[in-house]
Amino acid sequence: GQSLEQPSEVTAVEGAIVQINCTYQTSGFYGLSWYQQHDGGAPTFLSYNALDGLEETGRFSSFLSRSDSYGYLLLQELQMKDSASYFCAVKRVQGGKLIFGQGTELSVKP
Amino acid sequence: GAGVSQSPSNKVTEKGKDVELRCDPISGHTALYWYRQSLGQGLEFLIYFQGNSAPDKSGLPSDRFSAERTGGSVSTLTIQRTQQEDSAVYLCASSPGQMNTEAFFGQGTRLTVV
């Protein structure tokens, strides 16, 4: 089958750094994506790793290691507005289905 | 419009009734997805349309669920004989093409079956 595993929740303080891990059991996918969803809102795209390594976009970075079937989202200089759910996702080459993990609820405390 | 539009935003229906949920994707996007999200849960894949290819229906939970996409644009998700367990937010997303991994989501339809 195909599945993505993430921690269900993470808590951190304002200004800190937090890493949200994603391990997956799937093959033949285009890359690993990350989405953010605030309470009551729609998921929005954050980042995409097509190749192994680190991609940086402002305060957010994302990492992929295909050999380890592992990726993570790194959030730096945390702000209260970063409190949200974060989902990793993969898009399968065969068929093109976009599959999401169960999501990690991040709570940023003052 | 500029983004993915879903209607209605909220729907309350009686158990046993049929409902239709509509999705207008971003113009030119060939890929369209439907997901279901229960409160505090993840995104459950329902169905995927890509261009003129046969849709991937592998996520539909029962034969009460069906979806179509007319003219490669607007999509309708139909739930027949609704049950209370169908209550959830139904999200639609579109993407420029099969290889593109960035999906743009609508605001969803909150379905409540009473």
Side-chain angles (χ1 to χ4, degrees):
Chain A
Q2 51 215 281
S3 65
L4 298 96
E5 300 290 331
Q6 307 177 230
S8 58
E9 53 186 41
V10 172
T11 302
V13 297
E14 223 175 348
I17 299 173
V18 72
Q19 179 173 312
I20 299 174
N21 298 322
C22 175
T23 57
Y24 57 87
Q25 295 177 16
T26 189
S27 59
F29 64 97
Y30 288 111
L32 186 70
S33 303
W34 288 91
Y35 288 76
Q36 178 191 59
Q37 185 181 32
H38 285 100
D39 256 359
T44 56
F45 175 82
L46 284 179
S47 68
Y48 169 63
N49 291 71
L51 304 173
D52 284 5
L54 191 68
E55 293 283 341
E56 299 180 62
T57 309
R59 294 188 297 114
F60 293 0
S61 303
S62 57
F63 173 83
L64 173 63
S65 168
R66 289 177 182 263
S67 59
D68 295 322
S69 298
Y70 164 74
Y72 65 73
L73 179 69
L74 189 74
L75 297 87
Q76 303 182 69
E77 302 171 21
L78 280 174
Q79 302 175 9
M80 298 296 290
K81 67 179 182 179
D82 297 330
S83 293
S85 291
Y86 293 84
F87 296 88
C88 57
V90 295
K91 184 166 187 176
R92 299 201 69 210
V93 171
Q94 184 175 6
K97 186 190 299 187
L98 183 62
I99 307 161
F100 287 81
Q102 287 300 300
T104 298
E105 185 175 356
L106 171 64
S107 297
V108 180
K109 307 293 185 185
Chain B
V4 177
S5 177
Q6 291 188 244
S7 60
S9 55
N10 281 282
K11 176 72 176 179
V12 181
T13 190
E14 292 181 353
K15 178 181 173 182
K17 300 285 189 184
D18 297 353
V19 294
E20 283 189 355
L21 312 180
R22 178 187 169 104
C23 173
D24 281 272
I26 293 172
S27 178
H29 281 194
T30 60
L32 187 148
Y33 308 85
W34 282 99
Y35 294 89
R36 178 168 70 175
Q37 187 173 36
S38 301
L39 190 63
Q41 300 300 306
L43 297 164
E44 177 188 2
F45 170 81
L46 296 178
I47 189 168
Y48 164 56
F49 297 89
Q50 173 56 53
N52 296 320
S53 303
D56 181 342
K57 305 179 182 180
S58 61
L60 294 178
S62 77
D63 58 8
R64 296 187 296 105
F65 288 72
S66 63
E68 62 177 22
R69 188 178 186 191
T70 54
S73 181
V74 172
S75 178
T76 303
L77 177 69
T78 301
I79 309 173
Q80 296 178 310
R81 305 181 302 281
T82 52
Q83 304 295 314
Q84 287 187 328
E85 60 263 29
D86 298 335
S87 296
V89 175
Y90 289 81
L91 290 161
C92 174
S94 70
S95 186
Q98 177 163 344
M99 290 182 62
N100 192 294
T101 62
E102 181 175 355
F104 298 81
F105 282 82
Q107 289 299 309
T109 294
R110 182 175 298 279
L111 175 67
T112 304
V113 183
V114 297

Short mmCIF file of all heavy atoms in Angstrom, two decimals, chain A residues 30-31 33 35 37 40-43 45 48 87 91 93 95-102, chain B residues 33 35 37 41-43 45 48 56 58 91 95 97-103 105-107:
data_model
loop_
_atom_site.label_atom_id
_atom_site.label_comp_id
_atom_site.label_asym_id
_atom_site.label_seq_id
_atom_site.Cartn_x
_atom_site.Cartn_y
_atom_site.Cartn_z
N TYR A 30 6.47 11.66 -7.67
CA TYR A 30 7.17 12.80 -8.24
C TYR A 30 8.02 13.53 -7.21
O TYR A 30 9.06 14.08 -7.55
CB TYR A 30 6.19 13.78 -8.88
CG TYR A 30 5.58 13.27 -10.17
CD1 TYR A 30 4.23 12.93 -10.24
CD2 TYR A 30 6.34 13.13 -11.32
CE1 TYR A 30 3.67 12.47 -11.41
CE2 TYR A 30 5.79 12.67 -12.51
CZ TYR A 30 4.45 12.34 -12.55
OH TYR A 30 3.90 11.88 -13.70
N GLY A 31 7.57 13.58 -5.99
CA GLY A 31 8.30 14.31 -4.97
C GLY A 31 7.45 14.47 -3.74
O GLY A 31 6.31 13.99 -3.69
N SER A 33 5.60 16.99 -1.04
CA SER A 33 5.07 18.35 -0.88
C SER A 33 4.61 18.55 0.56
O SER A 33 4.34 17.60 1.27
CB SER A 33 3.86 18.56 -1.80
OG SER A 33 4.19 18.32 -3.15
N TYR A 35 1.84 21.07 2.89
CA TYR A 35 0.71 21.97 2.87
C TYR A 35 0.43 22.45 4.29
O TYR A 35 0.66 21.72 5.26
CB TYR A 35 -0.54 21.29 2.30
CG TYR A 35 -0.49 21.05 0.82
CD1 TYR A 35 0.29 20.02 0.29
CD2 TYR A 35 -1.21 21.84 -0.06
CE1 TYR A 35 0.35 19.81 -1.08
CE2 TYR A 35 -1.17 21.64 -1.43
CZ TYR A 35 -0.38 20.62 -1.93
OH TYR A 35 -0.32 20.42 -3.29
N GLN A 37 -2.64 24.16 6.78
CA GLN A 37 -4.08 24.39 6.89
C GLN A 37 -4.40 25.00 8.25
O GLN A 37 -4.21 24.36 9.28
CB GLN A 37 -4.86 23.09 6.70
CG GLN A 37 -6.37 23.29 6.69
CD GLN A 37 -7.14 21.99 6.53
OE1 GLN A 37 -6.70 20.93 6.97
NE2 GLN A 37 -8.30 22.05 5.88
N GLY A 40 -10.42 25.83 10.00
CA GLY A 40 -11.53 26.35 9.22
C GLY A 40 -11.15 26.80 7.83
O GLY A 40 -12.01 27.25 7.07
N GLY A 41 -9.87 26.67 7.48
CA GLY A 41 -9.43 27.13 6.17
C GLY A 41 -9.11 25.99 5.23
O GLY A 41 -9.21 24.81 5.59
N ALA A 42 -8.73 26.33 4.03
CA ALA A 42 -8.36 25.34 3.03
C ALA A 42 -6.85 25.09 3.10
O ALA A 42 -6.09 25.98 3.46
CB ALA A 42 -8.73 25.83 1.63
N PRO A 43 -6.41 23.89 2.76
CA PRO A 43 -4.96 23.64 2.70
C PRO A 43 -4.32 24.52 1.64
O PRO A 43 -4.88 24.74 0.56
CB PRO A 43 -4.87 22.16 2.30
CG PRO A 43 -6.20 21.59 2.65
CD PRO A 43 -7.19 22.69 2.45
N PHE A 45 -0.49 25.28 -0.38
CA PHE A 45 0.80 24.70 -0.73
C PHE A 45 1.93 25.51 -0.09
O PHE A 45 1.93 26.74 -0.13
CB PHE A 45 0.94 24.70 -2.25
CG PHE A 45 2.27 24.23 -2.76
CD1 PHE A 45 2.54 22.88 -2.89
CD2 PHE A 45 3.24 25.15 -3.13
CE1 PHE A 45 3.77 22.45 -3.38
CE2 PHE A 45 4.46 24.73 -3.62
CZ PHE A 45 4.72 23.38 -3.75
N TYR A 48 7.88 22.04 -2.10
CA TYR A 48 7.97 20.79 -2.86
C TYR A 48 9.42 20.41 -3.02
O TYR A 48 10.25 21.24 -3.39
CB TYR A 48 7.30 20.97 -4.23
CG TYR A 48 7.55 19.86 -5.21
CD1 TYR A 48 7.10 18.57 -4.94
CD2 TYR A 48 8.22 20.09 -6.41
CE1 TYR A 48 7.32 17.54 -5.83
CE2 TYR A 48 8.43 19.07 -7.31
CZ TYR A 48 7.98 17.80 -7.03
OH TYR A 48 8.19 16.78 -7.92
N PHE A 87 0.59 19.15 6.51
CA PHE A 87 0.43 17.86 5.86
C PHE A 87 1.55 17.63 4.86
O PHE A 87 1.87 18.52 4.06
CB PHE A 87 -0.90 17.80 5.08
CG PHE A 87 -2.12 17.91 5.94
CD1 PHE A 87 -2.65 19.15 6.26
CD2 PHE A 87 -2.76 16.77 6.41
CE1 PHE A 87 -3.78 19.26 7.06
CE2 PHE A 87 -3.90 16.86 7.19
CZ PHE A 87 -4.41 18.10 7.52
N LYS A 91 2.67 12.63 -4.82
CA LYS A 91 1.86 12.40 -6.02
C LYS A 91 2.46 11.23 -6.77
O LYS A 91 3.61 11.27 -7.18
CB LYS A 91 1.83 13.64 -6.91
CG LYS A 91 0.93 13.49 -8.12
CD LYS A 91 0.67 14.83 -8.77
CE LYS A 91 -0.38 14.68 -9.86
NZ LYS A 91 -0.75 15.97 -10.45
N VAL A 93 3.44 8.63 -9.59
CA VAL A 93 3.69 8.71 -11.02
C VAL A 93 2.61 7.93 -11.77
O VAL A 93 2.05 8.40 -12.75
CB VAL A 93 5.09 8.18 -11.36
CG1 VAL A 93 5.26 8.07 -12.87
CG2 VAL A 93 6.16 9.08 -10.76
N GLY A 95 -0.79 6.97 -12.34
CA GLY A 95 -2.15 7.39 -12.01
C GLY A 95 -2.25 8.83 -11.57
O GLY A 95 -3.25 9.50 -11.82
N GLY A 96 -1.25 9.35 -10.92
CA GLY A 96 -1.23 10.75 -10.53
C GLY A 96 -1.98 11.09 -9.26
O GLY A 96 -2.19 12.27 -8.96
N LYS A 97 -2.39 10.08 -8.48
CA LYS A 97 -3.12 10.35 -7.25
C LYS A 97 -2.25 11.14 -6.28
O LYS A 97 -1.08 10.83 -6.10
CB LYS A 97 -3.52 9.01 -6.62
CG LYS A 97 -4.41 9.13 -5.40
CD LYS A 97 -4.56 7.80 -4.69
CE LYS A 97 -5.19 6.73 -5.52
NZ LYS A 97 -5.46 5.51 -4.71
N LEU A 98 -2.80 12.15 -5.64
CA LEU A 98 -2.10 12.96 -4.63
C LEU A 98 -2.57 12.51 -3.26
O LEU A 98 -3.75 12.65 -2.92
CB LEU A 98 -2.41 14.44 -4.86
CG LEU A 98 -1.72 15.46 -3.96
CD1 LEU A 98 -0.21 15.40 -4.12
CD2 LEU A 98 -2.23 16.87 -4.28
N ILE A 99 -1.64 11.94 -2.48
CA ILE A 99 -1.97 11.32 -1.20
C ILE A 99 -1.38 12.15 -0.07
O ILE A 99 -0.23 12.55 -0.15
CB ILE A 99 -1.40 9.89 -1.12
CG1 ILE A 99 -1.83 9.07 -2.32
CG2 ILE A 99 -1.83 9.20 0.16
CD1 ILE A 99 -0.95 7.87 -2.52
N PHE A 100 -2.19 12.35 0.98
CA PHE A 100 -1.76 13.16 2.11
C PHE A 100 -1.54 12.32 3.36
O PHE A 100 -2.20 11.29 3.56
CB PHE A 100 -2.81 14.22 2.43
CG PHE A 100 -2.87 15.34 1.43
CD1 PHE A 100 -3.54 15.19 0.23
CD2 PHE A 100 -2.23 16.54 1.69
CE1 PHE A 100 -3.58 16.21 -0.70
CE2 PHE A 100 -2.27 17.57 0.76
CZ PHE A 100 -2.95 17.41 -0.43
N GLY A 101 -0.61 12.78 4.19
CA GLY A 101 -0.48 12.22 5.52
C GLY A 101 -1.64 12.70 6.39
O GLY A 101 -2.46 13.51 5.95
N GLN A 102 -1.70 12.22 7.63
CA GLN A 102 -2.80 12.55 8.54
C GLN A 102 -2.68 13.94 9.13
O GLN A 102 -3.60 14.43 9.77
CB GLN A 102 -2.90 11.52 9.66
CG GLN A 102 -3.45 10.18 9.18
CD GLN A 102 -4.85 10.32 8.61
OE1 GLN A 102 -5.78 10.74 9.29
NE2 GLN A 102 -5.02 9.98 7.33
N TYR B 33 -9.19 17.02 -8.01
CA TYR B 33 -9.28 16.04 -6.92
C TYR B 33 -10.45 16.37 -6.02
O TYR B 33 -10.75 17.54 -5.79
CB TYR B 33 -8.01 16.08 -6.05
CG TYR B 33 -6.70 15.97 -6.77
CD1 TYR B 33 -6.09 17.09 -7.32
CD2 TYR B 33 -6.04 14.74 -6.85
CE1 TYR B 33 -4.86 16.99 -7.95
CE2 TYR B 33 -4.81 14.64 -7.47
CZ TYR B 33 -4.23 15.78 -8.02
OH TYR B 33 -3.02 15.67 -8.65
N TYR B 35 -11.53 15.44 -1.95
CA TYR B 35 -11.11 14.85 -0.68
C TYR B 35 -12.23 15.07 0.34
O TYR B 35 -13.06 15.97 0.21
CB TYR B 35 -9.84 15.53 -0.14
CG TYR B 35 -8.62 15.31 -0.99
CD1 TYR B 35 -8.31 16.18 -2.03
CD2 TYR B 35 -7.77 14.23 -0.76
CE1 TYR B 35 -7.19 15.98 -2.82
CE2 TYR B 35 -6.65 14.02 -1.55
CZ TYR B 35 -6.37 14.90 -2.58
OH TYR B 35 -5.26 14.69 -3.36
N GLN B 37 -12.72 15.50 4.59
CA GLN B 37 -12.00 15.76 5.83
C GLN B 37 -12.99 15.84 6.98
O GLN B 37 -13.82 16.74 7.04
CB GLN B 37 -11.20 17.07 5.73
CG GLN B 37 -10.29 17.31 6.92
CD GLN B 37 -9.37 18.52 6.74
OE1 GLN B 37 -9.76 19.52 6.15
NE2 GLN B 37 -8.14 18.42 7.24
N GLN B 41 -9.26 15.66 11.35
CA GLN B 41 -8.64 14.53 10.69
C GLN B 41 -7.88 14.95 9.43
O GLN B 41 -7.86 16.13 9.07
CB GLN B 41 -9.70 13.48 10.32
CG GLN B 41 -10.47 12.93 11.50
CD GLN B 41 -9.54 12.24 12.48
OE1 GLN B 41 -8.78 11.35 12.12
NE2 GLN B 41 -9.61 12.64 13.75
N GLY B 42 -7.26 13.98 8.78
CA GLY B 42 -6.51 14.25 7.57
C GLY B 42 -7.40 14.33 6.35
O GLY B 42 -8.63 14.35 6.43
N LEU B 43 -6.76 14.39 5.19
CA LEU B 43 -7.47 14.50 3.91
C LEU B 43 -7.61 13.11 3.31
O LEU B 43 -6.63 12.49 2.90
CB LEU B 43 -6.67 15.41 2.98
CG LEU B 43 -6.52 16.86 3.45
CD1 LEU B 43 -5.43 17.56 2.69
CD2 LEU B 43 -7.84 17.58 3.30
N PHE B 45 -8.57 10.83 0.40
CA PHE B 45 -8.72 10.88 -1.05
C PHE B 45 -10.01 10.20 -1.48
O PHE B 45 -10.33 9.11 -1.02
CB PHE B 45 -7.53 10.19 -1.72
CG PHE B 45 -7.69 9.97 -3.20
CD1 PHE B 45 -7.45 10.99 -4.10
CD2 PHE B 45 -8.10 8.73 -3.67
CE1 PHE B 45 -7.61 10.77 -5.47
CE2 PHE B 45 -8.26 8.52 -5.04
CZ PHE B 45 -8.02 9.54 -5.93
N TYR B 48 -10.04 11.27 -8.47
CA TYR B 48 -9.10 12.13 -9.20
C TYR B 48 -9.42 12.07 -10.68
O TYR B 48 -9.57 10.99 -11.26
CB TYR B 48 -7.68 11.62 -8.93
CG TYR B 48 -6.60 12.12 -9.87
CD1 TYR B 48 -6.37 13.47 -10.05
CD2 TYR B 48 -5.77 11.20 -10.53
CE1 TYR B 48 -5.36 13.92 -10.90
CE2 TYR B 48 -4.75 11.64 -11.37
CZ TYR B 48 -4.55 13.00 -11.55
OH TYR B 48 -3.54 13.44 -12.37
N ASP B 56 -9.69 8.13 -11.45
CA ASP B 56 -9.28 7.21 -10.39
C ASP B 56 -10.31 7.30 -9.28
O ASP B 56 -10.32 8.26 -8.53
CB ASP B 56 -7.88 7.58 -9.90
CG ASP B 56 -7.37 6.66 -8.80
OD1 ASP B 56 -8.19 5.95 -8.18
OD2 ASP B 56 -6.16 6.65 -8.54
N SER B 58 -10.67 5.11 -6.82
CA SER B 58 -10.30 4.14 -5.79
C SER B 58 -10.61 4.58 -4.37
O SER B 58 -10.66 3.76 -3.46
CB SER B 58 -8.81 3.79 -5.92
OG SER B 58 -8.02 4.95 -5.74
N LEU B 91 -13.59 18.72 0.18
CA LEU B 91 -12.66 19.66 -0.44
C LEU B 91 -12.35 19.26 -1.88
O LEU B 91 -12.14 18.09 -2.17
CB LEU B 91 -11.35 19.71 0.35
CG LEU B 91 -11.40 20.36 1.73
CD1 LEU B 91 -10.22 19.93 2.58
CD2 LEU B 91 -11.44 21.87 1.61
N SER B 95 -5.10 21.23 -10.23
CA SER B 95 -3.67 21.32 -10.48
C SER B 95 -3.45 21.47 -11.98
O SER B 95 -4.22 20.93 -12.77
CB SER B 95 -3.00 20.05 -9.94
OG SER B 95 -1.60 20.14 -10.01
N GLY B 97 -1.46 20.14 -14.15
CA GLY B 97 -1.27 18.96 -14.97
C GLY B 97 -0.88 17.77 -14.14
O GLY B 97 -0.74 17.85 -12.92
N GLN B 98 -0.72 16.62 -14.79
CA GLN B 98 -0.46 15.39 -14.04
C GLN B 98 0.85 15.44 -13.29
O GLN B 98 0.95 14.94 -12.18
CB GLN B 98 -0.45 14.18 -15.00
CG GLN B 98 -0.11 12.89 -14.27
CD GLN B 98 -0.47 11.66 -15.06
OE1 GLN B 98 -1.23 11.75 -16.02
NE2 GLN B 98 0.04 10.53 -14.66
N MET B 99 1.87 16.05 -13.89
CA MET B 99 3.18 16.05 -13.24
C MET B 99 3.31 17.15 -12.20
O MET B 99 4.23 17.13 -11.40
CB MET B 99 4.28 16.18 -14.28
CG MET B 99 4.43 14.94 -15.14
SD MET B 99 5.77 15.11 -16.33
CE MET B 99 7.17 15.29 -15.24
N ASN B 100 2.39 18.09 -12.22
CA ASN B 100 2.48 19.21 -11.28
C ASN B 100 1.96 18.78 -9.91
O ASN B 100 0.86 18.26 -9.78
CB ASN B 100 1.67 20.39 -11.81
CG ASN B 100 1.95 21.66 -11.05
OD1 ASN B 100 1.63 21.76 -9.88
ND2 ASN B 100 2.57 22.62 -11.69
N THR B 101 2.78 19.02 -8.88
CA THR B 101 2.41 18.54 -7.56
C THR B 101 1.77 19.60 -6.69
O THR B 101 1.41 19.33 -5.55
CB THR B 101 3.64 17.98 -6.83
OG1 THR B 101 4.58 19.04 -6.66
CG2 THR B 101 4.27 16.85 -7.60
N GLU B 102 1.64 20.83 -7.18
CA GLU B 102 1.01 21.88 -6.39
C GLU B 102 -0.48 21.87 -6.68
O GLU B 102 -0.90 22.10 -7.82
CB GLU B 102 1.59 23.26 -6.70
CG GLU B 102 0.96 24.37 -5.88
CD GLU B 102 1.62 25.72 -6.10
OE1 GLU B 102 2.62 25.77 -6.83
OE2 GLU B 102 1.11 26.71 -5.53
N ALA B 103 -1.26 21.60 -5.66
CA ALA B 103 -2.71 21.59 -5.79
C ALA B 103 -3.29 22.81 -5.11
O ALA B 103 -2.84 23.21 -4.04
CB ALA B 103 -3.28 20.31 -5.18
N PHE B 105 -6.62 24.42 -3.46
CA PHE B 105 -7.86 23.95 -2.85
C PHE B 105 -8.94 25.02 -2.82
O PHE B 105 -8.64 26.22 -2.67
CB PHE B 105 -7.60 23.50 -1.41
CG PHE B 105 -6.97 22.14 -1.30
CD1 PHE B 105 -5.61 21.98 -1.46
CD2 PHE B 105 -7.76 21.02 -1.06
CE1 PHE B 105 -5.03 20.71 -1.38
CE2 PHE B 105 -7.18 19.76 -0.96
CZ PHE B 105 -5.82 19.61 -1.12
N GLY B 106 -10.19 24.57 -2.93
CA GLY B 106 -11.32 25.42 -2.65
C GLY B 106 -11.55 25.48 -1.14
O GLY B 106 -10.87 24.78 -0.38
N GLN B 107 -12.52 26.28 -0.73
CA GLN B 107 -12.81 26.45 0.69
C GLN B 107 -13.63 25.29 1.27
O GLN B 107 -13.82 25.20 2.47
CB GLN B 107 -13.53 27.77 0.94
CG GLN B 107 -12.64 28.99 0.74
CD GLN B 107 -11.46 28.99 1.69
OE1 GLN B 107 -11.60 28.83 2.89
NE2 GLN B 107 -10.25 29.18 1.14
#
